[in-house]
Amino acid sequence: MAANGGLHWSDIPAPVLAVLRGGAVLPAHPLALDDARDFDRESQRALARYYIDAGSGGLAVGVHATQFQIRDVGLYRPVLELAQQTAQEWTDRPLVMIAGVIGKTAQAVEEARTARALGYHAVLLGLGALKGASEDELVEHCAAVAREMPVIGFYLQAAVGGIPLSRAFWTRFAAIDNVVAIKVAPFNRYKTLDVAVGVATAGAEDRVTLYTGNDDHIVADLLTPFAVRTGNREVSVRFRGGLLGHWSVWTRAAVDLLARVHAAVDSGSVPLDVLALDSQVTDCNAVVFDVANDFRGCIPGCHEILRRQGLLRTVHCLDPHEVLSPGQTQEIDRLYATYPELTDDAFVAANLARWRG
């Protein structure tokens, strides 16, 4: 336990820390709403059970895919509480429980304390509310949250509210002792490399695990060694898993995909058919995340697949203007016809009644 009563990464149970560092599928947990746009607790619980039984390494709750607006309608704590309760009741398997934390420092610290009180292991720290802050201010903000909870950094792409972050920032961020991982999601090769170099420059590659959030490059991220030369040494930095909104759907297939990737990396030889998965997964993501319309339908796109499977009752978001884009449902039809092996509908159908029970 940290000196101020906060949680330190060394306090995380060893089996849970091993899951995080070994690399896992960490789905960003959507928010289930009914026809009146009220919280649908039964569907929310069914979703968590689905992710657990699909083989995910944990759950990321209160993040972008859960809709940041849950804070405005009093749902932040109830949503986190239900996910944690479901995880504890549904399995004895070690799961990494991650809570999204946003806002200026006072809000972020308070949310971290809430997550700690509910038994979460780490917080995913979004910095979108600090637009215009200096690098010193950003680092101090991150350090303040890290005094409360182990922190997972979040490099969010600008299209959905992220801010540019320099290589020097990532070096200073990775040097914070209570940083355990970074979700790298700028959708940009140069900025992705900045994170890898920053971690290596800080000498933090053994403590800070990289997770891809680059939905346009998921498989290639997981296969690529970043050979970083810093000082008088060369460090190989790798992505170990994914913390992804994209993996909130077809999660069983994502678990199988990650296992194939890990096996290829461990063997030292990556088959061409595994490399080819990168373009196929990216094609799926382009539709689900509504790239054609600047990601406007990214959350409803995930909801639509879960609705078709029976895991959600509606595709509703808290914002009634956040809807599927024209043609998006037809494109989802195309994905089902083109890439049936990347879906998991049969698995869901076989277990849905039990998850909803």
Side-chain angles (χ1 to χ4, degrees):
M1 190 69 72
N4 71 333
L7 187 74
H8 188 258
W9 65 260
S10 59
D11 301 316
I12 298 173
V16 175
L17 192 61
V19 170
L20 179 68
R21 290 186 167 162
V25 169
L26 298 175
H29 202 310
L31 177 70
L33 298 176
D34 63 19
D35 287 326
R37 285 194 167 81
D38 292 326
F39 185 31
D40 180 354
R41 296 180 65 89
E42 181 189 303
S43 296
Q44 192 79 5
R45 186 182 295 110
L47 270 180
R49 291 171 172 177
Y50 158 57
Y51 296 136
I52 293 166
D53 284 359
S56 74
L59 303 174
V61 191
V63 296
H64 175 249
T66 324
Q67 301 174 55
F68 291 141
Q69 299 98 316
I70 58 172
R71 294 152 176 87
D72 303 328
V73 295
L75 282 177
Y76 181 72
R77 185 183 182 101
V79 166
L80 263 62
E81 200 164 31
L82 182 60
Q84 176 71 308
Q85 179 186 50
T86 304
Q88 290 177 336
E89 293 174 352
W90 196 248
T91 185
D92 294 328
R93 183 164 61 85
L95 296 174
V96 186
M97 297 299 292
I98 299 163
V101 163
I102 62 169
K104 299 289 180 66
T105 303
Q107 177 184 339
V109 166
E110 187 56 37
E111 290 186 0
R113 288 172 177 164
T114 297
R116 187 177 74 223
L118 292 173
Y120 280 72
H121 302 112
V123 294
L124 180 69
L125 181 56
L127 300 176
L130 279 79
K131 282 188 174 74
S134 69
E135 187 174 286
D136 286 346
E137 290 169 332
L138 289 171
V139 172
E140 176 48 40
H141 171 82
C142 296
V145 177
R147 286 190 283 273
E148 304 294 335
M149 282 283 281
V151 167
I152 299 173
F154 187 9
Y155 202 171
L156 178 64
Q157 61 154 325
V160 289
I163 59 178
L165 297 163
S166 71
R167 187 172 291 191
F169 166 81
W170 288 112
T171 301
R172 295 176 66 185
F173 177 80
I176 298 170
D177 174 65
N178 213 16
V179 170
V180 289
I182 300 172
K183 171 180 173 170
V184 188
F187 289 34
N188 181 299
R189 292 294 87 199
Y190 302 111
K191 295 180 187 300
T192 296
L193 183 60
D194 285 341
V195 180
V197 172
V199 170
T201 303
E205 65 274 3
D206 292 332
R207 170 173 47 82
V208 179
T209 306
L210 295 188
Y211 273 74
T212 184
N214 286 320
D215 299 84
D216 62 339
H217 217 62
I218 295 169
V219 176
D221 267 358
L222 293 166
L223 289 170
T224 303
F226 290 81
V228 179
R229 293 179 180 177
T230 174
N232 60 355
R233 66 190 189 122
E234 180 170 300
V235 180
S236 181
V237 180
R238 303 198 76 109
F239 285 90
R240 299 295 177 184
L243 201 171
L244 293 156
H246 182 74
W247 281 354
S248 71
V249 301
W250 301 330
T251 309
R252 181 62 176 267
V255 170
D256 292 342
L257 182 151
L258 183 61
R260 289 181 67 187
V261 168
H262 279 177
V265 169
D266 291 344
S267 75
S269 177
V270 179
L272 290 178
D273 63 324
V274 175
L275 281 171
L277 285 168
D278 187 61
S279 61
Q280 297 173 353
V281 172
T282 300
D283 189 22
C284 291
N285 182 264
V287 172
V288 177
F289 267 36
D290 196 27
V291 174
N293 295 285
D294 295 324
F295 305 96
R296 281 193 291 274
C298 65
I299 293 177
C302 295
H303 288 184
E304 170 62 11
I305 290 170
L306 297 169
R307 184 199 65 78
R308 291 183 185 203
Q309 293 180 315
L311 285 158
L312 291 183
R313 292 192 171 96
T314 76
V315 299
H316 290 334
C317 294
L318 290 168
D319 180 355
H321 301 293
E322 196 167 357
V323 296
L324 289 160
S325 291
Q328 197 174 358
T329 55
Q330 290 83 356
E331 277 290 277
I332 291 173
D333 292 340
R334 177 181 68 80
L335 297 183
Y336 269 106
T338 309
Y339 307 112
E341 73 278 11
L342 296 180
T343 72
D344 67 357
D345 286 40
F347 169 70
V348 174
N351 291 280
L352 183 61
R354 187 168 57 89
W355 296 331
R356 282 200 168 277

